[in-house]
Amino acid sequence: MRPRPAPRNLAAEIRAALADKSLETALSAAVTGINAKRREVISRFPGYEEARRRARQIEEQAIAALPELVDRFAAAVEAHGGHVHHAVDGEEACRIINSIARQHDARRVVKSKSMTSEEIHLNEALEAAGLEVRETDLGEYIVQLAGDRPSHIVAPIIHMTLEDVREVFRKSFALDSVPFDPEQLTQLARQRLRDDFLAADLGITGANFLLADSGTVVIVENEGNARMTTQLPRAHVVLAGVDKLIPGVTDLLPFLQLLPRTATGQLLTSYLSFISGPGWAGAPGHAGEQRGFHVVLLDNGRLAMRDDPLLVEALYCIRCGGCMTVCPPYQVLGGHVYGGPTYHSGIGNAWEAGVSGLATAAGFNDLCTTCSRCQDVCPVGIDIPWMNAVLRERIAESRRRPRGLLERAIVDRLLPTDEPGAVSIATRLFSDPARVYRLARRRPLRALMGWRVARLLLERTAGVAADRRLPVPAEEPFTSWFRGRSGRVVTNGLEAERASSDRRESTVVLFADCHTEHLETAAGRAAVECLDRCGLGVVLVSGHCCGRAALSQGMLRTARRQAEALQRTLAPLAKTGHRIVGIEPSCLSAVAGDHRKLLPGAVAEQVAARCHDVLELLEQRFGDAGVAGARAPEWKPAPAGPRQPLLLHGHCQQKTLGWMPAAVRLLESIPGFDLRTTTAECCGMAGSFGYKRDYYPVSAELGRRLIGEIEALEADPRHGRLAAGDAGSGWSTKSDGPSTSRGAPQAGARACRYLACGTSCRAQIEELGGRRAVHPVELIAERLR
Ligand code: SF4
């Protein structure tokens, strides 16, 4: 049985990380650079999606055929004079490697980067056996000198600044003067490592891929240290998880195309090594020498992951690290906080659950906001947010105690839930936005929440951050307004059956998500108006939650029940070919994506296939793509003078599900505007994440960075000042915006409009930036005649 990990105080770790200015400098420079390079090289790779599809397929097939691949690989290695060892866990792997070292009379070991060796604490085991171990990857070398640990699987010192590295060199090498130039620092390390390479008896590497047909170990690297590690010492040990096996060399191409592009934004890495045996033994100058070549195949939980319908997907991971640099909480916290002992960020949760146990994963699972930005970038299409939601449920179940009397008598009545056992008030609240909005509509309660003492009490009892502004619901729900104009409202399957006979070409189904229904009713009204303008009648599906909020709390039973009810209502309409239109991207993404996992089957697939983001549908109808019934929009004429700046912040799921380009095209087609979009992955709110006491600081930091980007875009010369007289016209800055230096237009500044599709994005921009943002559909409705 695994020992229980020491409990973590995540809130304290978060506070410390956010206060660390050096970490902020290091991380933000690194993630910005890597993400920009990745975007650039991928945009120039036309075969990207095909390579992703192929890589995923190969991984799925390889993991399914793993026992057979292990046998084929072992036979091929042995045929070339190498040895294959099978290690059930880390302890056994360390024992095997120590015994190989003894067999080769090794005293000095050089290692190239291997997260698998971090996972099993190999260095400590070798040093305990009296061996000298030297890491030779530059980042790992610095980590070793600093007595630190990697915070990223590809860039181990992503958390360090140049000054941090200089300090490590100063202390480690007792230098009075340390160069400022990174190249000179590298030379310093290189000179020292050269002696280590030449003196080493044993080289240890990991592997990026193992080719079963030829017994070949494939190593992808940039520094050449892996080549030296494999070729100079008398023996070479490869430590690799069994998940690294793929059938053969013909399967390698998509991985070699994807790995460098996603990991570091490179077209190719500098060195690609194929090692199929002991190498130079018997070569000229080495006659009679016995060179050792050993491959240690590590299980350490991987075979159990293979049998787990959830965790099996993590085994497809090719360890590119792309999901980490785009992960919003990782971007501000780094891998030491958002990670376990070895693996980091969202995918790190699944890996730690698999190799260290659920209790380790529980230490940082909450930091996954399920924003989905990682899914977009993952070269093998791993659904990391889904894995983390299910892990959240497993973690909750592993801790579950029976409900108490008070909970059953009072809390269950006020905030019912489908989950078994005790469920905290915070979890109940965060999983049910419609209920929260209905409560907040009650004026006495709203007045009470205006008191700081009440907010502090709410923070203590329900974990709702006292500093976060609470949403104020609209007086009239969206559905009431829609009924008032004699619109057809459908709330159940029977009504949907009746409505399904409406003409499907000229009628669409608009899904009234909880946020549009209670809070952002203007967006709902504008959507109806725009659909009407392009000749589409609306049937409104109302009274259902998509289940997304419950899902992000790991409350899968509740989410499944909500999804079932919504699917029963949507299915008859989807079956008769009606298009389903959503306004709030996170809710639409639940219907188009998560429901297929919650309720696998043809019905959910059919509903998902009929889903459209409202802007995507409007762009189709207004565009000239040959869509039946399309008509050119009749925009109001643009006002005289320069075009008005328009800033659009894309919602996470809007980007992940590919709805963003249509939104941009549509907005660019409106006369008189100059559109710019933000590049921030996420505003930091991520639904309920930004309302939680412990995570509010992370959310606020991400929000501040977004506002910083907005300020930079506002200062862009292309959005330059207008002639006097236009000052302030249409400026949508809120007067009570608390935190930015640009709280009001300066004399001569041009009006700027702010757009965001997500309810929580708009709340964040308004609260932290003092700028009122609206859903783009509101602007479109305003500009249509
Ligand atoms: S989960 Fe995907 S993006 Fe993340 S490291 Fe693995 S392969 Fe790369």
Side-chain angles (χ1 to χ4, degrees):
M1 198 166 140
R2 291 185 177 108
R4 278 196 82 73
R8 291 175 63 171
N9 184 342
L10 200 54
E13 288 181 39
I14 287 170
R15 281 194 298 276
L18 291 178
D20 185 342
K21 289 292 154 209
S22 164
L23 178 68
E24 181 186 332
T25 308
L27 271 177
S28 59
V31 300
T32 308
I34 293 173
N35 291 344
K37 271 161 70 186
R38 179 190 307 116
R39 273 195 294 270
E40 207 268 316
V41 295
I42 288 177
S43 72
R44 288 192 285 115
F45 177 29
Y48 177 61
E49 286 304 334
E50 175 54 20
R52 282 177 98 193
R53 191 197 59 75
R54 184 79 189 109
R56 169 76 185 208
Q57 188 186 43
I58 293 165
E59 282 293 345
E60 284 180 6
Q61 289 167 353
I63 296 299
L66 199 52
E68 185 204 322
L69 295 187
V70 168
D71 290 347
R72 277 170 53 200
F73 176 78
V77 170
E78 305 272 345
H80 291 135
H83 305 279
V84 173
H85 311 259
H86 302 270
V88 170
D89 57 19
E91 254 177 59
E92 189 175 10
C94 291
R95 256 199 320 275
I96 291 169
I97 297 171
N98 261 326
S99 104
I100 295 169
R102 277 197 302 279
Q103 190 187 322
H104 290 276
D105 286 328
R107 222 168 49 77
R108 296 188 196 91
V109 177
V110 281
K111 275 182 73 214
S112 73
K113 197 166 84 55
S114 156
M115 289 309 286
T116 314
S117 75
E118 298 279 341
E119 175 189 320
I120 64 169
H121 310 293
L122 179 62
N123 287 13
E124 292 86 331
L126 294 173
E127 282 163 0
L131 291 153
E132 285 171 29
V133 184
R134 173 57 68 212
E135 294 287 352
T136 63
D137 169 90
L138 183 59
E140 289 283 349
Y141 179 54
I142 293 164
V143 161
Q144 188 183 34
L145 293 178
D148 201 349
R149 63 190 172 97
S151 63
H152 186 276
I153 56 175
V154 173
I157 53 163
I158 198 168
H159 58 289
M160 287 189 187
T161 59
L162 179 63
E163 196 41 50
D164 292 333
V165 174
R166 290 185 65 237
E167 189 55 28
V168 172
F169 278 30
R170 190 189 339 267
K171 281 191 185 148
S172 306
F173 306 146
L175 297 173
D176 293 331
S177 131
V178 182
F180 286 91
D181 178 11
E183 213 170 303
Q184 286 179 22
L185 283 171
T186 308
Q187 284 304 326
L188 213 61
R190 194 164 178 253
Q191 284 153 17
R192 284 168 159 79
L193 284 172
R194 185 141 299 230
D195 294 338
D196 291 313
F197 281 124
L198 293 172
D201 312 303
L202 183 71
I204 300 177
T205 68
N208 291 92
F209 303 97
L210 303 173
L211 309 182
D213 59 352
S214 55
T216 303
V217 175
V218 182
I219 300 176
V220 178
E221 56 144 350
N222 273 321
E223 297 173 16
N225 65 305
R227 285 227 166 143
M228 309 268 270
T229 304
T230 61
Q231 298 307 309
L232 286 175
R234 292 196 306 276
H236 173 203
V237 175
V238 180
L239 170 68
V242 284
D243 54 296
K244 297 291 176 69
L245 276 154
I246 59 171
V249 73
T250 53
D251 300 298
L252 200 53
L253 182 61
F255 296 109
L256 297 183
Q257 290 171 320
L258 293 168
L259 182 56
R261 281 179 168 90
T262 315
T264 47
Q266 291 171 285
L267 291 176
L268 271 179
T269 45
S270 309
Y271 300 91
L272 182 58
S273 302
F274 292 79
I275 300 160
S276 303
W280 48 250
H286 297 285
E289 284 183 42
Q290 277 295 313
R291 186 157 196 266
F293 177 62
H294 302 260
V295 181
V296 180
L297 288 179
L298 179 72
D299 172 2
N300 204 32
R302 287 163 174 79
L303 295 181
M305 289 168 78
R306 180 172 171 264
D307 293 334
D308 182 323
L310 179 75
L311 294 182
V312 65
E313 214 181 334
L315 296 177
Y316 309 152
C317 172
I318 59 170
R319 314 292 207 285
C320 68
C323 54
M324 294 160 202
T325 51
V326 296
C327 169
Y330 181 93
Q331 290 182 343
V332 296
L333 297 173
H336 288 163
V337 176
Y338 191 8
T342 312
Y343 299 107
H344 319 109
S345 183
I347 190 63
N349 221 260
W351 270 100
E352 291 293 358
V355 305
S356 312
L358 199 58
T360 304
F364 62 104
N365 171 278
D366 265 357
L367 282 171
C368 176
T369 67
T370 69
C371 74
S372 80
R373 298 305 300 133
C374 50
Q375 205 181 337
D376 198 15
V377 89
C378 176
V380 283
I382 298 177
D383 192 346
I384 300 168
W386 171 259
M387 293 178 95
N388 284 328
V390 181
L391 281 172
R392 202 160 287 171
E393 183 189 46
R394 291 185 184 181
I395 290 164
E397 278 175 359
S398 72
R399 293 167 168 172
R400 203 141 264 168
R401 54 182 175 76
R403 277 187 177 48
L405 201 61
L406 208 61
E407 190 172 353
R408 276 184 281 143
I410 300 174
V411 187
D412 273 357
R413 277 164 207 255
L414 289 172
L415 301 166
T417 172
D418 300 28
E419 309 305 304
V423 179
S424 70
I425 294 176
T427 308
R428 291 170 191 249
L429 272 178
F430 291 131
S431 67
D432 197 347
R435 189 174 300 276
V436 171
Y437 292 142
R438 273 190 230 108
L439 284 172
R441 194 171 276 129
R442 296 184 185 170
R443 284 176 186 278
L445 201 63
R446 276 222 312 266
L448 185 68
M449 285 302 131
W451 289 22
R452 182 74 184 162
V453 177
R455 288 300 308 272
L456 290 171
L457 199 65
L458 186 68
E459 184 176 272
R460 268 192 92 89
T461 52
V464 180
D467 292 331
R468 174 63 78 190
R469 198 183 284 173
L470 293 178
V472 180
E475 290 295 329
E476 183 187 29
F478 173 46
T479 303
S480 306
W481 170 84
F482 188 74
R483 279 191 210 278
R485 66 196 300 272
S486 305
R488 184 165 197 171
V489 179
V490 164
T491 60
N492 57 47
L494 208 62
E495 291 171 358
E497 291 282 359
R498 287 194 210 115
S500 64
S501 58
D502 279 7
R503 284 175 305 150
R504 60 175 179 266
E505 280 313 321
S506 56
T507 308
V508 295
V509 175
L510 185 64
F511 166 50
D513 60 85
C514 303
H515 311 287
T516 307
E517 172 66 11
H518 296 286
L519 195 67
E520 298 285 352
T521 55
R525 293 197 299 272
V528 172
E529 197 179 322
C530 290
L531 292 166
D532 188 44
R533 293 265 178 204
C534 62
L536 291 171
V538 171
V539 169
L540 190 70
V541 165
S542 179
H544 295 282
C545 178
C546 63
R548 166 122 198 108
L551 183 66
S552 70
Q553 300 304 311
M555 299 171 74
L556 266 71
R557 283 178 183 79
T558 309
R560 197 167 283 119
R561 194 243 313 143
Q562 291 171 330
E564 262 165 9
L566 179 55
Q567 288 279 329
R568 268 198 301 278
T569 310
L570 292 175
L573 294 154
K575 197 173 164 194
T576 46
H578 286 82
R579 284 159 293 188
I580 298 160
V581 182
I583 299 169
E584 173 67 33
S586 56
C587 302
L588 185 64
S589 81
V591 184
D594 299 321
H595 284 196
R596 292 152 72 197
K597 297 208 161 175
L598 285 166
L599 309 164
V603 174
E605 293 294 336
Q606 191 172 46
V607 168
R610 304 298 301 165
C611 283
H612 293 270
D613 172 64
V614 64
L615 300 178
E616 183 199 28
L617 186 76
L618 290 176
E619 202 254 344
Q620 276 182 18
R621 297 288 299 185
F622 288 151
D624 53 1
V627 175
R631 54 166 78 167
E634 292 180 30
W635 300 116
K636 278 182 188 159
R643 291 183 298 161
Q644 187 175 20
L646 206 54
L647 286 184
L648 171 68
H649 172 65
H651 182 278
C652 297
Q653 271 95 7
Q654 182 185 21
K655 289 181 271 197
T656 301
L657 274 85
W659 298 323
M660 190 69 178
V664 169
R665 282 194 301 271
L666 180 58
L667 292 167
E668 280 178 341
S669 71
I670 307 176
F673 288 102
D674 176 14
L675 181 72
R676 304 300 309 272
T677 52
T678 60
T679 60
E681 298 293 343
C682 175
C683 71
M685 276 290 263
S688 60
F689 183 79
Y691 286 94
K692 294 179 180 172
R693 175 192 50 212
D694 290 350
Y695 310 127
Y696 171 73
V698 180
S699 166
E701 177 57 30
L702 285 164
R704 272 190 283 274
R705 290 185 189 192
L706 170 63
I707 301 305
E709 193 187 347
I710 289 176
E711 287 174 350
L713 286 169
E714 286 167 350
D716 189 307
R718 278 177 292 176
H719 292 168
R721 291 158 188 280
L722 292 178
D726 289 318
S729 60
W731 181 266
S732 51
T733 303
K734 284 269 249 194
S735 57
D736 56 349
S739 62
T740 70
S741 55
R742 293 176 64 91
Q746 296 162 21
R750 298 175 61 199
C752 186
R753 304 284 296 265
Y754 305 92
L755 305 176
C757 288
T759 303
S760 57
C761 310
R762 293 191 291 273
Q764 185 84 313
I765 292 169
E766 180 160 345
E767 183 173 342
L768 297 179
R771 290 149 173 83
R772 197 175 84 81
V774 297
H775 192 291
V777 81
E778 294 176 59
L779 177 82
I780 294 165
E782 177 198 307
R783 301 308 304 165
L784 284 172
R785 278 196 270 200

